[in-house]
Amino acid sequence: MLRNSLFVAAAILGVATVHATDIDNYTQGIQQWHAGRVERLTAADGWLSLIGLEWLQPGANRVGSAADNDIVLTAGPAHLGVVTLATDGSMRIVLDQDSHATIDGKAVSEAVLVDDAHATADAAPTKVAFGTASFYVIDRDGRKGLRVKDSEAPSRKHFLGIDSFPIDPSWRIEANWVPAQPGETLEMGSVIGTIDKYPVPGKLEFTRDGKHFELLPVIEEPGDAQYFIVFADRTSGKETYGAARFLYIDPPKEGKVVLDFNKAYNPPCAFTGFATCPLAPPENRLDLRVTAGEKNYRGSHH
């Protein structure tokens, strides 16, 4: 009976075909995706391990857990070292001789720091590690900050799990694809006040409950295999995280794209105050209750 009712609902709503005999496989697929999502989130260096986001000032920045530092960390040696931010945006760290820290796994005393904006596929941002904690530098609209992680972070050790709406195949929707004009971009603000422009490859058009809706995906990085959607809906700020939820889609095939809202998930900011998440742009605020995907995190305090 459940399978038949789900199949009928899917047919009525015009979603991508999910045959009654495929319901179990579909549900298992979403469950496996969810398990992978939790595994990545709770990894030793996952988003739950964040314990700090400390912005650098021009010149010398003394870093460590002691109160007399310019940047006071919640983990690590009293005096870790000094990070110098030059006027041209370059950075260098000189470690304290008693810090016992490593730089990219090596016991060296100083090094140039490469931030995430200047990292490459073959070279990650420079990682400074000390005990169970570490940091690397992020660049956000020219601002440089230390992203600090600790595998023993309370947010990781006391993770409460992810609550989601029941898996519903009717939220696996086949959308029409409208290619974008060359050079089209989408502006997205962030929780730290920056505004970034992303290339828009096209527009998604779909119907739900007899109404027409549109979404604009973006390309996060050139060459990405999937497109990225940052959206909000009428559950945002109530059942779901207020700022946005995220969703990835595959490129179109024959003018169609599958939007599977059962895979809509919370940004890192739903779990930690030390992330720099994008906000849903006005173009992607749906006048619709998307009762699929992840709900609010029970452990959120922000």
Side-chain angles (χ1 to χ4, degrees), residues 26 30 168-169 171-173 247-249 258-264:
Y26 174 74
I30 296 297
D168 182 352
W171 283 107
R172 182 179 184 270
I173 298 173
L247 183 63
Y248 282 93
I249 59 169
V258 172
L259 271 172
D260 196 339
F261 286 104
N262 290 291
K263 293 183 178 180

Side-chain angles (χ1 to χ4, degrees), residues 14-15 41 49 60 65-66 86 90 106 110 137 150 155 167 175 191 220 243 246 252 262 267 284 301:
V15 302
L41 184 64
S49 69
S65 58
S90 64
K106 300 176 182 178
E110 59 182 282
V137 180
D150 187 350
S155 52
I167 298 171
V191 297
E220 284 186 285
F246 295 170
N262 290 291
N284 285 355
H301 297 290

Side-chain angles (χ1 to χ4, degrees), residues 151-252:
S151 60
E152 294 297 308
S155 52
R156 179 171 182 259
K157 295 177 69 175
H158 305 296
F159 178 55
L160 299 179
I162 293 177
D163 295 322
S164 301
F165 291 99
I167 298 171
D168 182 352
S170 76
W171 283 107
R172 182 179 184 270
I173 298 173
E174 188 175 77
N176 292 318
W177 178 260
V178 181
Q181 294 297 318
E184 185 174 343
T185 60
L186 179 64
E187 288 189 350
M188 281 196 283
S190 75
V191 297
I192 61 170
T194 58
I195 297 177
D196 293 302
K197 286 186 178 181
Y198 295 90
V200 173
K203 178 172 64 177
L204 302 170
E205 297 183 339
F206 66 97
T207 59
R208 178 79 185 185
D209 301 332
K211 297 181 179 180
H212 177 85
F213 299 98
E214 298 179 354
L215 284 172
L216 293 179
V218 299
I219 299 172
E220 284 186 285
E221 299 289 344
D224 280 352
Q226 291 186 307
Y227 301 145
F228 182 47
I229 300 173
V230 181
F231 77 96
D233 63 275
R234 285 169 53 192
T235 69
S236 301
K238 300 170 185 175
E239 298 109 309
T240 62
Y241 185 58
R245 284 190 288 170
F246 295 170
L247 183 63
Y248 282 93
I249 59 169
D250 291 327

Side-chain angles (χ1 to χ4, degrees), residues 22-302:
D22 293 334
I23 295 298
D24 285 344
N25 288 339
Y26 174 74
T27 299
Q28 290 174 7
I30 296 297
Q31 290 171 338
Q32 290 173 358
W33 174 88
H34 177 79
R37 153 82 169 142
V38 173
E39 183 178 356
R40 292 186 295 273
L41 184 64
T42 59
D45 63 347
W47 289 111
L48 292 175
S49 69
L50 287 180
I51 60 169
L53 176 58
E54 309 294 343
W55 298 106
L56 295 170
Q57 298 300 318
N61 297 260
R62 295 170 298 164
V63 181
S65 58
D68 62 348
N69 289 285
D70 301 305
I71 292 178
V72 179
L73 305 178
T74 58
H79 298 97
L80 177 67
V82 176
V83 176
T84 301
L85 173 59
T87 54
D88 63 359
S90 64
M91 295 159 291
R92 189 172 191 85
I93 186 170
V94 177
L95 294 174
D96 187 278
Q97 61 181 0
D98 297 321
S99 68
H100 303 294
T102 61
I103 301 174
D104 283 339
K106 300 176 182 178
V108 295
S109 61
E110 59 182 282
V112 171
L113 294 176
V114 177
D115 60 53
D116 63 346
H118 295 89
T120 65
D122 299 322
T126 307
K127 180 179 178 180
V128 179
F130 38 98
T132 60
S134 64
F135 71 70
Y136 62 89
V137 180
I138 65 171
D139 182 311
R140 296 296 179 268
D141 199 24
R143 296 174 66 193
K144 310 284 188 176
L146 306 184
R147 171 162 282 168
V148 192
K149 297 184 176 185
D150 187 350
S151 60
E152 294 297 308
S155 52
R156 179 171 182 259
K157 295 177 69 175
H158 305 296
F159 178 55
L160 299 179
I162 293 177
D163 295 322
S164 301
F165 291 99
I167 298 171
D168 182 352
S170 76
W171 283 107
R172 182 179 184 270
I173 298 173
E174 188 175 77
N176 292 318
W177 178 260
V178 181
Q181 294 297 318
E184 185 174 343
T185 60
L186 179 64
E187 288 189 350
M188 281 196 283
S190 75
V191 297
I192 61 170
T194 58
I195 297 177
D196 293 302
K197 286 186 178 181
Y198 295 90
V200 173
K203 178 172 64 177
L204 302 170
E205 297 183 339
F206 66 97
T207 59
R208 178 79 185 185
D209 301 332
K211 297 181 179 180
H212 177 85
F213 299 98
E214 298 179 354
L215 284 172
L216 293 179
V218 299
I219 299 172
E220 284 186 285
E221 299 289 344
D224 280 352
Q226 291 186 307
Y227 301 145
F228 182 47
I229 300 173
V230 181
F231 77 96
D233 63 275
R234 285 169 53 192
T235 69
S236 301
K238 300 170 185 175
E239 298 109 309
T240 62
Y241 185 58
R245 284 190 288 170
F246 295 170
L247 183 63
Y248 282 93
I249 59 169
D250 291 327
K253 292 183 178 179
E254 299 180 351
K256 302 291 183 180
V257 170
V258 172
L259 271 172
D260 196 339
F261 286 104
N262 290 291
K263 293 183 178 180
Y265 68 96
N266 288 327
C269 290
F271 305 96
T272 174
F274 302 122
T276 60
C277 309
L279 304 172
E283 294 87 344
N284 285 355
R285 295 184 177 273
L286 299 172
D287 185 19
L288 171 71
R289 292 188 71 248
V290 179
T291 53
E294 293 184 8
K295 294 182 176 180
N296 267 324
Y297 178 52
R298 285 172 289 146
S300 177
H301 297 290
H302 60 279

